[in-house]
Structure formats: C-alpha cells, structure tokens
Amino acid sequence: MTTRDSTEAERLKLLGTELYKKGDYQGAYDKLSEAIEKDPENAILYQNRGAVSMKKHEYLDAVWDAKKATSLDPKYAKAWARLGAAAQALGTWQECIYAWQQALDCLPKNNLTEDQKGDRKQWRTSLKKSLADQVKVESTVNTVSILDIQSGTMPWDVAWALRNSRMAERRASSVLILANAYTSFKEGMNYYKEAKFERDAQGREHYSGTPAVIRHLSEAVLVDPRVFHVTDGEFFEKIIKIASIEDEAAKGWLNTGGPAIIKKAVLQRLEKDGFDAVRPSLTTTVR
C-alpha cells in the first residue's frame, strides 16, 4: 500500500504548475503523475493533470482524469467542466452535456465570486453549443425500426444470402466482407444474450458467461460497422459491465487510466513478463 505524502504531492504539484505555465506540458504531466503517486486520493491533482492533457490534445487521458476527480469529489465544479470540455472535443455529446450541467449545478446558487460568474457564463455557453451540436449530429443519423431489422432486407441479410454464390465465383467481393462481419456480430450477440448478472441472498452480484463478447463485437465493427444494430434497451449499460469483467479476467488496464497511463503500464509488464503475457491483456483493453 502506498503511503500518502500530501506535503510532497503539493511540492510536485507546484513544480508541475510552473512547467505548465512555461509551456512544458509533458514535464508538467510527469510531475503531476508523480504527485498523484504520493497522494492518489487528491481530486485537484487529477483535475490539473487533465488540464495538461487538454493542452496536449490527449482527450481520452483528460476524460479519465476528470472522471477520477469527480468520483473523488462529486461537487468539484471545475473537474466536471474539465470532463465537459474533453468529452466535447471527442464528440461524446451525452457525456459532455451531462458534465456541463453538473459543473453548473455545483456552483453556489448565491453570492458567486467574479471568477465563478465568469465560469458560469462560459459553461452555459458551452452547454448550449453542445446541445446544438448533438442535435446537428443526430439529424444526420439514419435509424431503422424493429420491423426493418426483421424484414430480412438489411445489408447484412443480403450479404448473407449472397455469400455462397460469391464464394463460388472465387473473386473479391464486398459481400464476403459484410457477411464475415455479420458472422462475428451474431456470435458476439449470442454470447451477449447468454451473459447473466444475478444477485445472491447477500445482494452480491455474480456474472456468468463466456468472455468473448467484446472480441466478437469489436471484430465485427472493425470489419464493417454497418452490421452493428441492437434492439435491447439495456444493451449499453450491460455491455459496459461485460467489458469491465472481460478486461479484469484478461488482467487488462481498462480501469487503470487513460492511454498515457496504460502505455506506461504495458511497457512495465512487457519488460517484466514478456509479450505472451502482455498480448491478451492489451488486446482486451484496446477492444
């Protein structure tokens, strides 16, 4: 267990701040990472490191640090705003809009300082822009109904029906690519449907299933994203839980940090245990 040293963490934070002001963002990131090692429950350190990641255009790292900061201090307005800005840069609108609103809700209702008034004005503008951007993006999305999916006329259905004839012709065809993607997608969804979350008498949740859902679904989407479709309203909530379990089973780094932290952890394990030990962990984390 790491011994907390808030005094040393504060010293490293100040050094990181000076480097940040000088434009040495990598140096600032490294110092704040050292500070976090000394005081891993300090929300301000994660929020500050997230600010550095924003300057480096490392938005996934910024998102992870902002989430960590808000988990440590749910009333930390600037951390929520950091998450809003990072999610906005990535175009993840629901997360972005939620974060901006949380940032505003965390501000005092009365007697705001001038800085807080400035933050409120800026965050309201960002929230309004995010809402408009979400509407703009959603207006370009094509949706299909359950009846469309069940009609047997979707692109993957057509490709599946033509696959044998295209194989017989022995020539390259996009039909085969789409059919292969659909095969992986069906396998992934079959494993997904078999996955069960149940609670015992003590209220503890238990999982049963084959740890291959994420592999098959990600392969399908990488080969041809047109095959992805869901009719289960709980899909996204459930798939996040499955991903976390599969990552843990593979000794991955899903909950370790953003890409910069994961890269460092991968290299450390690679040096210690070799590529064969790292490969399944890294593959699962990336998927």
Side-chain angles (χ1 to χ4, degrees), residues 4-287:
R4 182 175 179 179
D5 187 346
S6 57
T7 301
E8 177 63 8
E10 181 64 21
R11 186 186 73 83
L12 290 165
K13 185 189 80 168
L14 293 175
L15 290 174
T17 300
E18 289 302 313
L19 292 169
Y20 178 87
K21 291 177 180 178
K22 293 176 182 178
D24 182 359
Y25 300 128
Q26 186 57 54
Y29 186 94
D30 292 340
K31 287 300 178 187
L32 286 165
S33 296
E34 290 180 41
I36 287 171
E37 290 180 6
K38 297 295 182 182
D39 192 1
E41 301 301 310
N42 188 325
I44 294 174
L45 297 177
Y46 291 99
Q47 197 280 139
N48 286 4
R49 192 170 70 174
V52 176
S53 292
M54 290 294 291
K55 286 291 186 180
K56 296 171 64 186
H57 306 290
E58 301 286 357
Y59 302 121
L60 286 173
D61 289 309
V63 164
W64 196 92
D65 278 339
K67 285 183 176 180
K68 182 67 176 180
T70 57
S71 71
L72 291 169
D73 183 359
K75 297 297 183 181
Y76 193 177
K78 285 188 178 295
W80 282 112
R82 186 72 61 213
L83 178 56
Q88 189 168 14
L90 292 170
T92 52
W93 303 115
Q94 287 187 335
E95 183 172 48
C96 164
I97 290 165
Y98 177 77
W100 285 126
Q101 188 60 61
Q102 286 293 111
L104 289 166
D105 290 345
C106 287
L107 287 173
K109 303 305 178 188
N110 302 299
N111 302 319
L112 276 72
T113 66
E114 291 303 313
D115 285 344
Q116 289 171 334
K117 290 177 182 178
D119 288 338
R120 183 176 63 182
K121 180 179 179 180
Q122 179 185 342
W123 299 346
R124 282 176 172 173
T125 300
S126 297
L127 174 59
K128 184 177 180 180
K129 182 179 186 304
S130 298
L131 287 165
D133 287 342
Q134 182 186 39
V135 170
K136 189 184 302 182
V137 169
E138 289 180 346
S139 68
T140 67
V141 175
N142 294 320
T143 58
V144 294
S145 68
I146 298 294
L147 292 177
D148 291 327
I149 292 173
Q150 294 174 343
S151 68
T153 59
M154 301 305 292
W156 53 84
D157 295 314
V158 175
W160 189 255
L162 292 173
R163 72 189 190 288
N164 288 335
S165 63
R166 292 295 187 270
M167 289 175 67
E169 293 170 1
R170 295 189 176 183
R171 61 185 177 86
S173 172
S174 61
V175 164
L176 297 179
I177 295 174
L178 184 53
N180 287 338
Y182 186 49
T183 299
S184 292
F185 182 77
K186 286 199 300 181
E187 290 181 12
M189 289 305 294
N190 285 337
Y191 286 129
Y192 166 83
K193 291 172 184 176
E194 293 171 2
K196 303 294 183 186
F197 290 93
E198 297 176 333
R199 293 192 179 276
D200 59 22
Q202 287 73 41
R204 293 170 298 191
E205 190 171 61
H206 297 274
Y207 172 76
S208 62
T210 304
V213 178
I214 301 303
R215 174 166 65 88
H216 285 292
L217 293 184
S218 61
E219 283 179 359
V221 173
L222 287 170
V223 172
D224 196 320
R226 289 178 295 173
V227 300
F228 181 79
H229 59 283
V230 292
T231 57
D232 178 3
E234 298 179 352
F235 175 83
F236 292 102
E237 179 181 353
K238 184 176 176 181
I239 201 68
I240 289 172
K241 294 168 69 174
I242 291 174
S244 181
I245 289 169
E246 292 193 5
D247 180 78
E248 184 178 353
K251 297 181 180 179
W253 295 275
L254 187 63
N255 298 312
T256 301
I261 301 299
I262 292 173
K263 289 176 189 175
K264 183 179 178 181
V266 168
L267 291 174
Q268 289 173 343
R269 191 183 298 177
L270 181 64
E271 183 177 357
K272 179 184 176 183
D273 300 329
F275 181 69
D276 288 343
V278 168
R279 182 178 179 180
S281 306
L282 182 58
T283 299
T284 304
T285 301
V286 171
R287 288 182 185 280

